């Protein structure tokens, strides 16, 4: 069934139609192309383009050639927030748990918190705070710290200023150094930071350069010696990289 056309918004519709002509394969639009494709007058084209420029949605790169402005990135990030990818993550988590014998999680950031969106547990599941739908702090735990490490220095300090209870100056300095290391290594480990006696490791999931989530494995310390930790860490990195490839193929 076709969508009924909204009345009285022809000019807005024309401007949006022009905006939607931009694509990954067509990052630039020329005025002569718009005249040909939309069968409108030159004054009308300039009027629609002026409106889009006024709203900071496009900018003129060369005379008569227009590109999308950085403002569009904010819209893209807002759209990204509505995509949780839990369906893509679940098969990878199930396999990761089969491989490691430990609980696997898919986490992502929502505003200034981290939430578990998918989980794969073993027959010997352990009690952990990260459960589907639970909102957790960004500065504790391997997966959470990967998400926090993606913040700019200014945004990170603003987040830490709001933490309750407040972190001491020494704790903030230690955290800053750890986050920098996480950014470099693209990997994180934690020991009892969220749940006592629980070790965790995590790797970022990226799609087209953007951090969209985290794959993590959690396990009790008593059954994770150095050799197993090394094996689990490798599997986690592989699963996160594979999920990134899955997302890129599906977009």
């Amino acid at each position: 069934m076709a969508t009924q056309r909204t009345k009285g918004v022809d000019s807005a519709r024309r401007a949006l139609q022009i905006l939607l002509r931009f694509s990954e394969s067509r990052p630039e639009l020329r005025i002569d192309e718009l005249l040909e494709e939309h069968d409108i007058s030159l004054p009308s084209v300039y009027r629609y383009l002026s409106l889009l420029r006024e709203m900071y949605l496009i900018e003129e790169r060369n005379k008569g050639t227009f590109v999308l402005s950085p403002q569009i990135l904010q819209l893209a990030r807002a759209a990204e927030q509505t995509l949780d990818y839990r369906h893509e993550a679940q098969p990878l988590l199930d396999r990761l748990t089969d491989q490691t014998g430990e609980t696997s999680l898919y986490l992502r950031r929502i505003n200034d918190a981290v939430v578990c969106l998918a989980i794969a547990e073993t027959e010997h599941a352990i009690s952990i705070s990260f459960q589907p739908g639970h909102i957790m702090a960004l500065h504790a735990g391997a997966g959470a710290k990967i998400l926090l490490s993606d913040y700019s220095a200014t945004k990170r300090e603003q987040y830490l200023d709001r933490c309750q209870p407040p972190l001491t100056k020494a704790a903030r300095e230690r955290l800053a150094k750890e986050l920098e290391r996480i950014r470099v290594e693209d990997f994180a480990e934690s020991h009892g930071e969220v749940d006592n006696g629980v070790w965790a490791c995590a790797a970022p999931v990226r799609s087209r350069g953007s951090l969209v989530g985290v794959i993590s494995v959690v396990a009790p310390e008593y059954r994770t010696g150095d050799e197993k930790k090394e094996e689990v860490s490798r599997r986690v990195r592989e699963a996160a990289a594979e999920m990134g490839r899955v997302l890129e193929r599906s977009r």
Side-chain angles (χ1 to χ4, degrees), residues 175-190:
L175 179 60
K177 291 179 180 179
E178 184 178 4
L179 293 177
E180 287 305 311
R181 186 177 70 252
I182 290 171
R183 288 174 68 95
V184 171
E185 297 178 355
D186 241 12
F187 186 77
E189 289 185 67
S190 63

Side-chain angles (χ1 to χ4, degrees), residues 40-99:
I40 51 181
S41 67
L42 183 60
S44 294
V45 168
Y46 273 113
R47 186 166 65 251
Y48 301 140
L49 292 173
S50 294
L51 175 60
L52 294 173
R53 292 180 67 184
E54 177 189 331
M55 302 304 295
Y56 301 103
L57 295 174
I58 65 170
E59 55 189 40
E60 192 168 14
R61 171 160 293 173
N62 299 305
K63 183 68 174 178
T65 301
F66 294 84
V67 297
L68 294 173
S69 77
Q71 174 79 5
I72 292 293
L73 295 176
Q74 294 186 26
L75 299 178
R77 283 192 287 267
E80 192 76 55
Q81 290 296 315
T82 69
L83 305 174
D84 59 35
Y85 304 124
R86 69 185 72 185
H87 297 298
E88 291 84 354
Q90 193 63 58
L92 294 174
L93 296 182
D94 293 340
R95 188 178 70 198
L96 185 57
T97 289
D98 287 342
Q99 293 170 336

Side-chain angles (χ1 to χ4, degrees), residues 87-240:
H87 297 298
E88 291 84 354
Q90 193 63 58
L92 294 174
L93 296 182
D94 293 340
R95 188 178 70 198
L96 185 57
T97 289
D98 287 342
Q99 293 170 336
T100 63
E102 304 296 348
T103 299
S104 303
L105 308 170
Y106 171 59
L107 312 172
R108 66 163 293 178
R109 183 179 63 81
I110 296 181
N111 297 322
D112 281 339
V114 57
V115 63
C116 174
L117 293 178
I119 188 170
E121 297 182 290
T122 69
E123 294 180 357
H124 307 289
I126 60 174
S127 177
I128 57 174
S129 298
F130 278 104
Q131 292 293 328
H134 287 195
I135 299 296
M136 304 290 291
L138 272 177
H139 58 283
K145 286 180 177 178
I146 283 182
L147 296 169
L148 181 58
S149 73
D150 195 52
Y151 276 8
S152 67
T154 299
K155 190 173 181 181
R156 183 186 66 215
E157 290 303 310
Q158 291 171 345
Y159 166 81
L160 294 176
D161 286 341
R162 296 191 297 269
C163 282
Q164 294 295 329
L167 275 67
T168 65
K169 180 180 179 181
R172 288 179 67 150
E173 290 176 350
R174 287 195 301 271
L175 179 60
K177 291 179 180 179
E178 184 178 4
L179 293 177
E180 287 305 311
R181 186 177 70 252
I182 290 171
R183 288 174 68 95
V184 171
E185 297 178 355
D186 241 12
F187 186 77
E189 289 185 67
S190 63
H191 301 264
E193 291 185 7
V194 178
D195 298 294
N196 289 333
V198 173
W199 170 82
C201 69
V205 176
R206 288 193 171 84
S207 179
R208 301 188 180 183
S210 297
L211 179 65
V212 297
V214 169
I215 296 289
S216 179
V217 163
V218 297
E221 287 272 10
Y222 71 83
R223 64 174 184 234
T224 48
D226 291 342
E227 187 175 338
K228 182 170 182 178
K229 287 178 180 177
E230 184 176 342
E231 171 68 11
V232 171
S233 298
R234 181 177 65 82
R235 296 285 191 181
V236 166
R237 290 177 189 269
E238 290 173 351

